[in-house]
Amino acid sequence: EGQLMESGGGSVQPGESLTLSCAASGFSFRDTYMSWLRQVPGKGLEKIAGIDRRGSFVDYADSVRGRFAISRDNAKNILYLRMNNLKEDDTAMYYCGRGNYFGGPKYIKGQGTQVVVSS
């Protein structure tokens, strides 16, 4: 089934930047569309970015477009999310996910990394 392990979260002030990483193992990462998602307490999982297997096509939620950038290194099996100009509304648990996200409880994602944006 494979494993996904996120890292890079932390506490920052509004306007600052963070880069999240997701180390993948146990499946063919280079052949897999990957996603970044986030969740705040009391709300559902929200897909915020996706990238095709070659990194040729990326898509973003309106809430992060222009501020966040998803990328991947298929040689290292790592997925990245560069987050610029962070806002307090970006505070959430961030997950990397295997494949595109259409909802449902069986979606494969990591354990998450917490991002807190606060002044």
PDB file of all heavy atoms in Angstrom, residues 1-6 22 34-35 37-39 45 93-98 101 104-112:
ATOM      1  N   GLU A   1       0.828  -1.210   0.000  1.00  0.00           N
ATOM      2  CA  GLU A   1       0.000   0.000   0.000  1.00  0.00           C
ATOM      3  C   GLU A   1       0.859   1.256   0.000  1.00  0.00           C
ATOM      4  O   GLU A   1       0.457   2.294  -0.500  1.00  0.00           O
ATOM      5  CB  GLU A   1      -0.930  -0.016   1.198  1.00  0.00           C
ATOM      6  CG  GLU A   1      -2.034   1.023   1.112  1.00  0.00           C
ATOM      7  CD  GLU A   1      -3.062   0.843   2.205  1.00  0.00           C
ATOM      8  OE1 GLU A   1      -2.798   1.301   3.326  1.00  0.00           O
ATOM      9  OE2 GLU A   1      -4.094   0.231   1.928  1.00  0.00           O
ATOM     10  N   GLY A   2       2.038   1.167   0.591  1.00  0.00           N
ATOM     11  CA  GLY A   2       2.951   2.289   0.595  1.00  0.00           C
ATOM     12  C   GLY A   2       2.803   3.189   1.785  1.00  0.00           C
ATOM     13  O   GLY A   2       1.853   3.090   2.545  1.00  0.00           O
ATOM     14  N   GLN A   3       3.794   4.082   1.911  1.00  0.00           N
ATOM     15  CA  GLN A   3       3.801   5.034   3.022  1.00  0.00           C
ATOM     16  C   GLN A   3       4.041   6.442   2.533  1.00  0.00           C
ATOM     17  O   GLN A   3       4.762   6.659   1.547  1.00  0.00           O
ATOM     18  CB  GLN A   3       4.910   4.664   4.010  1.00  0.00           C
ATOM     19  CG  GLN A   3       4.502   3.672   5.069  1.00  0.00           C
ATOM     20  CD  GLN A   3       5.490   3.649   6.238  1.00  0.00           C
ATOM     21  OE1 GLN A   3       6.689   3.700   6.023  1.00  0.00           O
ATOM     22  NE2 GLN A   3       4.976   3.558   7.438  1.00  0.00           N
ATOM     23  N   LEU A   4       3.441   7.390   3.230  1.00  0.00           N
ATOM     24  CA  LEU A   4       3.649   8.806   2.970  1.00  0.00           C
ATOM     25  C   LEU A   4       3.975   9.475   4.293  1.00  0.00           C
ATOM     26  O   LEU A   4       3.262   9.262   5.281  1.00  0.00           O
ATOM     27  CB  LEU A   4       2.390   9.426   2.362  1.00  0.00           C
ATOM     28  CG  LEU A   4       1.914   8.854   1.034  1.00  0.00           C
ATOM     29  CD1 LEU A   4       0.517   9.338   0.685  1.00  0.00           C
ATOM     30  CD2 LEU A   4       2.894   9.232  -0.069  1.00  0.00           C
ATOM     31  N   MET A   5       5.034  10.275   4.325  1.00  0.00           N
ATOM     32  CA  MET A   5       5.433  10.929   5.562  1.00  0.00           C
ATOM     33  C   MET A   5       5.703  12.400   5.302  1.00  0.00           C
ATOM     34  O   MET A   5       6.688  12.749   4.646  1.00  0.00           O
ATOM     35  CB  MET A   5       6.661  10.255   6.159  1.00  0.00           C
ATOM     36  CG  MET A   5       7.068  10.821   7.515  1.00  0.00           C
ATOM     37  SD  MET A   5       8.398   9.890   8.272  1.00  0.00           S
ATOM     38  CE  MET A   5       7.635   8.291   8.468  1.00  0.00           C
ATOM     39  N   GLU A   6       4.869  13.256   5.867  1.00  0.00           N
ATOM     40  CA  GLU A   6       4.997  14.688   5.695  1.00  0.00           C
ATOM     41  C   GLU A   6       5.930  15.286   6.748  1.00  0.00           C
ATOM     42  O   GLU A   6       6.048  14.769   7.866  1.00  0.00           O
ATOM     43  CB  GLU A   6       3.629  15.378   5.823  1.00  0.00           C
ATOM     44  CG  GLU A   6       2.570  14.913   4.847  1.00  0.00           C
ATOM     45  CD  GLU A   6       1.732  13.771   5.396  1.00  0.00           C
ATOM     46  OE1 GLU A   6       2.171  13.095   6.345  1.00  0.00           O
ATOM     47  OE2 GLU A   6       0.629  13.536   4.861  1.00  0.00           O
ATOM     48  N   CYS A  22       7.061  15.632   1.487  1.00  0.00           N
ATOM     49  CA  CYS A  22       6.378  14.359   1.694  1.00  0.00           C
ATOM     50  C   CYS A  22       7.244  13.269   1.092  1.00  0.00           C
ATOM     51  O   CYS A  22       7.435  13.231  -0.129  1.00  0.00           O
ATOM     52  CB  CYS A  22       5.008  14.380   1.040  1.00  0.00           C
ATOM     53  SG  CYS A  22       4.170  12.777   0.992  1.00  0.00           S
ATOM     54  N   MET A  34      -0.106  12.962  -7.506  1.00  0.00           N
ATOM     55  CA  MET A  34      -0.040  13.230  -6.070  1.00  0.00           C
ATOM     56  C   MET A  34      -0.779  14.521  -5.723  1.00  0.00           C
ATOM     57  O   MET A  34      -0.893  15.430  -6.563  1.00  0.00           O
ATOM     58  CB  MET A  34       1.405  13.342  -5.616  1.00  0.00           C
ATOM     59  CG  MET A  34       2.229  12.069  -5.783  1.00  0.00           C
ATOM     60  SD  MET A  34       1.669  10.710  -4.742  1.00  0.00           S
ATOM     61  CE  MET A  34       2.044  11.343  -3.099  1.00  0.00           C
ATOM     62  N   SER A  35      -1.239  14.592  -4.493  1.00  0.00           N
ATOM     63  CA  SER A  35      -2.015  15.743  -4.038  1.00  0.00           C
ATOM     64  C   SER A  35      -1.521  16.241  -2.685  1.00  0.00           C
ATOM     65  O   SER A  35      -0.948  15.470  -1.910  1.00  0.00           O
ATOM     66  CB  SER A  35      -3.494  15.359  -3.887  1.00  0.00           C
ATOM     67  OG  SER A  35      -4.050  14.887  -5.086  1.00  0.00           O
ATOM     68  N   LEU A  37      -3.378  18.163   0.586  1.00  0.00           N
ATOM     69  CA  LEU A  37      -4.689  18.459   1.136  1.00  0.00           C
ATOM     70  C   LEU A  37      -4.495  19.084   2.508  1.00  0.00           C
ATOM     71  O   LEU A  37      -3.417  18.999   3.093  1.00  0.00           O
ATOM     72  CB  LEU A  37      -5.512  17.174   1.270  1.00  0.00           C
ATOM     73  CG  LEU A  37      -5.571  16.299   0.020  1.00  0.00           C
ATOM     74  CD1 LEU A  37      -4.537  15.169   0.102  1.00  0.00           C
ATOM     75  CD2 LEU A  37      -6.948  15.704  -0.161  1.00  0.00           C
ATOM     76  N   ARG A  38      -5.544  19.693   3.033  1.00  0.00           N
ATOM     77  CA  ARG A  38      -5.474  20.229   4.380  1.00  0.00           C
ATOM     78  C   ARG A  38      -6.827  20.079   5.067  1.00  0.00           C
ATOM     79  O   ARG A  38      -7.871  19.934   4.398  1.00  0.00           O
ATOM     80  CB  ARG A  38      -5.017  21.683   4.384  1.00  0.00           C
ATOM     81  CG  ARG A  38      -5.996  22.673   3.771  1.00  0.00           C
ATOM     82  CD  ARG A  38      -5.362  24.058   3.704  1.00  0.00           C
ATOM     83  NE  ARG A  38      -6.263  25.067   3.156  1.00  0.00           N
ATOM     84  CZ  ARG A  38      -5.901  26.304   2.874  1.00  0.00           C
ATOM     85  NH1 ARG A  38      -4.641  26.713   3.097  1.00  0.00           N
ATOM     86  NH2 ARG A  38      -6.778  27.158   2.378  1.00  0.00           N
ATOM     87  N   GLN A  39      -6.768  20.137   6.366  1.00  0.00           N
ATOM     88  CA  GLN A  39      -7.995  19.980   7.150  1.00  0.00           C
ATOM     89  C   GLN A  39      -7.894  20.815   8.422  1.00  0.00           C
ATOM     90  O   GLN A  39      -6.873  20.798   9.107  1.00  0.00           O
ATOM     91  CB  GLN A  39      -8.223  18.517   7.505  1.00  0.00           C
ATOM     92  CG  GLN A  39      -9.575  18.238   8.147  1.00  0.00           C
ATOM     93  CD  GLN A  39      -9.865  16.759   8.248  1.00  0.00           C
ATOM     94  OE1 GLN A  39      -8.946  15.937   8.309  1.00  0.00           O
ATOM     95  NE2 GLN A  39     -11.138  16.400   8.262  1.00  0.00           N
ATOM     96  N   LEU A  45     -11.808  17.338   4.616  1.00  0.00           N
ATOM     97  CA  LEU A  45     -10.519  17.385   3.939  1.00  0.00           C
ATOM     98  C   LEU A  45     -10.675  18.201   2.655  1.00  0.00           C
ATOM     99  O   LEU A  45     -11.629  18.008   1.897  1.00  0.00           O
ATOM    100  CB  LEU A  45     -10.097  15.961   3.621  1.00  0.00           C
ATOM    101  CG  LEU A  45      -8.645  15.640   3.375  1.00  0.00           C
ATOM    102  CD1 LEU A  45      -7.777  16.042   4.543  1.00  0.00           C
ATOM    103  CD2 LEU A  45      -8.497  14.148   3.089  1.00  0.00           C
ATOM    104  N   MET A  93      -3.982  21.202   9.397  1.00  0.00           N
ATOM    105  CA  MET A  93      -3.132  20.027   9.262  1.00  0.00           C
ATOM    106  C   MET A  93      -3.008  19.759   7.770  1.00  0.00           C
ATOM    107  O   MET A  93      -4.031  19.698   7.061  1.00  0.00           O
ATOM    108  CB  MET A  93      -3.746  18.834   9.980  1.00  0.00           C
ATOM    109  CG  MET A  93      -2.877  17.586   9.963  1.00  0.00           C
ATOM    110  SD  MET A  93      -1.413  17.775  11.000  1.00  0.00           S
ATOM    111  CE  MET A  93      -2.151  17.490  12.615  1.00  0.00           C
ATOM    112  N   TYR A  94      -1.779  19.608   7.311  1.00  0.00           N
ATOM    113  CA  TYR A  94      -1.520  19.396   5.895  1.00  0.00           C
ATOM    114  C   TYR A  94      -1.113  17.949   5.652  1.00  0.00           C
ATOM    115  O   TYR A  94      -0.276  17.395   6.378  1.00  0.00           O
ATOM    116  CB  TYR A  94      -0.426  20.343   5.412  1.00  0.00           C
ATOM    117  CG  TYR A  94      -0.929  21.755   5.228  1.00  0.00           C
ATOM    118  CD1 TYR A  94      -1.211  22.560   6.320  1.00  0.00           C
ATOM    119  CD2 TYR A  94      -1.146  22.279   3.956  1.00  0.00           C
ATOM    120  CE1 TYR A  94      -1.707  23.839   6.160  1.00  0.00           C
ATOM    121  CE2 TYR A  94      -1.630  23.565   3.783  1.00  0.00           C
ATOM    122  CZ  TYR A  94      -1.915  24.339   4.894  1.00  0.00           C
ATOM    123  OH  TYR A  94      -2.406  25.615   4.735  1.00  0.00           O
ATOM    124  N   TYR A  95      -1.687  17.379   4.593  1.00  0.00           N
ATOM    125  CA  TYR A  95      -1.436  15.981   4.231  1.00  0.00           C
ATOM    126  C   TYR A  95      -1.016  15.873   2.772  1.00  0.00           C
ATOM    127  O   TYR A  95      -1.516  16.629   1.929  1.00  0.00           O
ATOM    128  CB  TYR A  95      -2.697  15.145   4.388  1.00  0.00           C
ATOM    129  CG  TYR A  95      -3.316  15.130   5.757  1.00  0.00           C
ATOM    130  CD1 TYR A  95      -4.286  16.065   6.111  1.00  0.00           C
ATOM    131  CD2 TYR A  95      -2.957  14.162   6.696  1.00  0.00           C
ATOM    132  CE1 TYR A  95      -4.869  16.049   7.365  1.00  0.00           C
ATOM    133  CE2 TYR A  95      -3.540  14.140   7.950  1.00  0.00           C
ATOM    134  CZ  TYR A  95      -4.495  15.082   8.278  1.00  0.00           C
ATOM    135  OH  TYR A  95      -5.068  15.055   9.518  1.00  0.00           O
ATOM    136  N   CYS A  96      -0.151  14.923   2.492  1.00  0.00           N
ATOM    137  CA  CYS A  96       0.051  14.552   1.100  1.00  0.00           C
ATOM    138  C   CYS A  96      -0.776  13.289   0.849  1.00  0.00           C
ATOM    139  O   CYS A  96      -0.966  12.466   1.745  1.00  0.00           O
ATOM    140  CB  CYS A  96       1.514  14.328   0.764  1.00  0.00           C
ATOM    141  SG  CYS A  96       2.319  12.963   1.602  1.00  0.00           S
ATOM    142  N   GLY A  97      -1.273  13.182  -0.351  1.00  0.00           N
ATOM    143  CA  GLY A  97      -2.147  12.083  -0.693  1.00  0.00           C
ATOM    144  C   GLY A  97      -1.752  11.416  -1.987  1.00  0.00           C
ATOM    145  O   GLY A  97      -1.210  12.040  -2.902  1.00  0.00           O
ATOM    146  N   ARG A  98      -2.045  10.142  -2.055  1.00  0.00           N
ATOM    147  CA  ARG A  98      -1.718   9.341  -3.216  1.00  0.00           C
ATOM    148  C   ARG A  98      -2.883   9.369  -4.187  1.00  0.00           C
ATOM    149  O   ARG A  98      -3.965   8.870  -3.872  1.00  0.00           O
ATOM    150  CB  ARG A  98      -1.417   7.913  -2.737  1.00  0.00           C
ATOM    151  CG  ARG A  98      -1.048   6.950  -3.812  1.00  0.00           C
ATOM    152  CD  ARG A  98      -0.668   5.617  -3.173  1.00  0.00           C
ATOM    153  NE  ARG A  98      -0.591   4.549  -4.164  1.00  0.00           N
ATOM    154  CZ  ARG A  98      -0.308   3.291  -3.861  1.00  0.00           C
ATOM    155  NH1 ARG A  98      -0.080   2.952  -2.605  1.00  0.00           N
ATOM    156  NH2 ARG A  98      -0.253   2.394  -4.795  1.00  0.00           N
ATOM    157  N   TYR A 101      -8.012  13.408  -5.318  1.00  0.00           N
ATOM    158  CA  TYR A 101      -8.930  13.239  -4.193  1.00  0.00           C
ATOM    159  C   TYR A 101     -10.345  13.585  -4.616  1.00  0.00           C
ATOM    160  O   TYR A 101     -10.617  14.689  -5.087  1.00  0.00           O
ATOM    161  CB  TYR A 101      -8.520  14.125  -3.022  1.00  0.00           C
ATOM    162  CG  TYR A 101      -9.442  14.007  -1.831  1.00  0.00           C
ATOM    163  CD1 TYR A 101      -9.542  12.814  -1.125  1.00  0.00           C
ATOM    164  CD2 TYR A 101     -10.216  15.091  -1.408  1.00  0.00           C
ATOM    165  CE1 TYR A 101     -10.392  12.700  -0.034  1.00  0.00           C
ATOM    166  CE2 TYR A 101     -11.061  14.986  -0.330  1.00  0.00           C
ATOM    167  CZ  TYR A 101     -11.155  13.790   0.356  1.00  0.00           C
ATOM    168  OH  TYR A 101     -11.998  13.680   1.425  1.00  0.00           O
ATOM    169  N   GLY A 104     -14.283  10.408   0.288  1.00  0.00           N
ATOM    170  CA  GLY A 104     -14.347   9.025   0.706  1.00  0.00           C
ATOM    171  C   GLY A 104     -13.306   8.698   1.752  1.00  0.00           C
ATOM    172  O   GLY A 104     -12.245   9.307   1.808  1.00  0.00           O
ATOM    173  N   PRO A 105     -13.617   7.717   2.583  1.00  0.00           N
ATOM    174  CA  PRO A 105     -12.760   7.404   3.737  1.00  0.00           C
ATOM    175  C   PRO A 105     -11.523   6.574   3.402  1.00  0.00           C
ATOM    176  O   PRO A 105     -10.654   6.414   4.251  1.00  0.00           O
ATOM    177  CB  PRO A 105     -13.713   6.611   4.644  1.00  0.00           C
ATOM    178  CG  PRO A 105     -14.638   5.935   3.693  1.00  0.00           C
ATOM    179  CD  PRO A 105     -14.835   6.917   2.555  1.00  0.00           C
ATOM    180  N   LYS A 106     -11.449   6.037   2.204  1.00  0.00           N
ATOM    181  CA  LYS A 106     -10.357   5.119   1.890  1.00  0.00           C
ATOM    182  C   LYS A 106      -9.186   5.798   1.184  1.00  0.00           C
ATOM    183  O   LYS A 106      -8.268   5.127   0.735  1.00  0.00           O
ATOM    184  CB  LYS A 106     -10.868   3.953   1.054  1.00  0.00           C
ATOM    185  CG  LYS A 106     -11.865   3.068   1.787  1.00  0.00           C
ATOM    186  CD  LYS A 106     -12.251   1.860   0.976  1.00  0.00           C
ATOM    187  CE  LYS A 106     -13.193   0.965   1.743  1.00  0.00           C
ATOM    188  NZ  LYS A 106     -13.587  -0.242   0.961  1.00  0.00           N
ATOM    189  N   TYR A 107      -9.226   7.100   1.092  1.00  0.00           N
ATOM    190  CA  TYR A 107      -8.147   7.811   0.410  1.00  0.00           C
ATOM    191  C   TYR A 107      -6.853   7.649   1.195  1.00  0.00           C
ATOM    192  O   TYR A 107      -6.834   7.799   2.425  1.00  0.00           O
ATOM    193  CB  TYR A 107      -8.513   9.280   0.266  1.00  0.00           C
ATOM    194  CG  TYR A 107      -7.502  10.088  -0.500  1.00  0.00           C
ATOM    195  CD1 TYR A 107      -7.372   9.926  -1.879  1.00  0.00           C
ATOM    196  CD2 TYR A 107      -6.692  11.013   0.130  1.00  0.00           C
ATOM    197  CE1 TYR A 107      -6.462  10.661  -2.598  1.00  0.00           C
ATOM    198  CE2 TYR A 107      -5.776  11.748  -0.578  1.00  0.00           C
ATOM    199  CZ  TYR A 107      -5.661  11.577  -1.943  1.00  0.00           C
ATOM    200  OH  TYR A 107      -4.753  12.312  -2.656  1.00  0.00           O
ATOM    201  N   ILE A 108      -5.769   7.371   0.498  1.00  0.00           N
ATOM    202  CA  ILE A 108      -4.491   7.119   1.149  1.00  0.00           C
ATOM    203  C   ILE A 108      -3.738   8.430   1.325  1.00  0.00           C
ATOM    204  O   ILE A 108      -3.413   9.103   0.334  1.00  0.00           O
ATOM    205  CB  ILE A 108      -3.655   6.129   0.332  1.00  0.00           C
ATOM    206  CG1 ILE A 108      -4.380   4.776   0.249  1.00  0.00           C
ATOM    207  CG2 ILE A 108      -2.280   5.956   0.973  1.00  0.00           C
ATOM    208  CD1 ILE A 108      -3.715   3.800  -0.700  1.00  0.00           C
ATOM    209  N   LYS A 109      -3.450   8.779   2.564  1.00  0.00           N
ATOM    210  CA  LYS A 109      -2.695   9.983   2.854  1.00  0.00           C
ATOM    211  C   LYS A 109      -1.783   9.713   4.022  1.00  0.00           C
ATOM    212  O   LYS A 109      -1.879   8.681   4.683  1.00  0.00           O
ATOM    213  CB  LYS A 109      -3.629  11.154   3.167  1.00  0.00           C
ATOM    214  CG  LYS A 109      -4.461  10.995   4.433  1.00  0.00           C
ATOM    215  CD  LYS A 109      -5.401  12.168   4.581  1.00  0.00           C
ATOM    216  CE  LYS A 109      -6.060  12.173   5.961  1.00  0.00           C
ATOM    217  NZ  LYS A 109      -6.926  11.001   6.161  1.00  0.00           N
ATOM    218  N   GLY A 110      -0.849  10.650   4.277  1.00  0.00           N
ATOM    219  CA  GLY A 110       0.072  10.491   5.378  1.00  0.00           C
ATOM    220  C   GLY A 110      -0.540  10.878   6.701  1.00  0.00           C
ATOM    221  O   GLY A 110      -1.747  11.114   6.808  1.00  0.00           O
ATOM    222  N   GLN A 111       0.332  10.999   7.706  1.00  0.00           N
ATOM    223  CA  GLN A 111      -0.123  11.357   9.054  1.00  0.00           C
ATOM    224  C   GLN A 111      -0.326  12.845   9.224  1.00  0.00           C
ATOM    225  O   GLN A 111      -0.994  13.286  10.156  1.00  0.00           O
ATOM    226  CB  GLN A 111       0.891  10.859  10.083  1.00  0.00           C
ATOM    227  CG  GLN A 111       0.994   9.344  10.158  1.00  0.00           C
ATOM    228  CD  GLN A 111      -0.318   8.717  10.586  1.00  0.00           C
ATOM    229  OE1 GLN A 111      -0.900   9.094  11.595  1.00  0.00           O
ATOM    230  NE2 GLN A 111      -0.806   7.763   9.803  1.00  0.00           N
ATOM    231  N   GLY A 112       0.253  13.628   8.346  1.00  0.00           N
ATOM    232  CA  GLY A 112       0.046  15.065   8.380  1.00  0.00           C
ATOM    233  C   GLY A 112       1.137  15.832   9.101  1.00  0.00           C
ATOM    234  O   GLY A 112       1.891  15.276   9.909  1.00  0.00           O
TER     235      GLY A 112
END
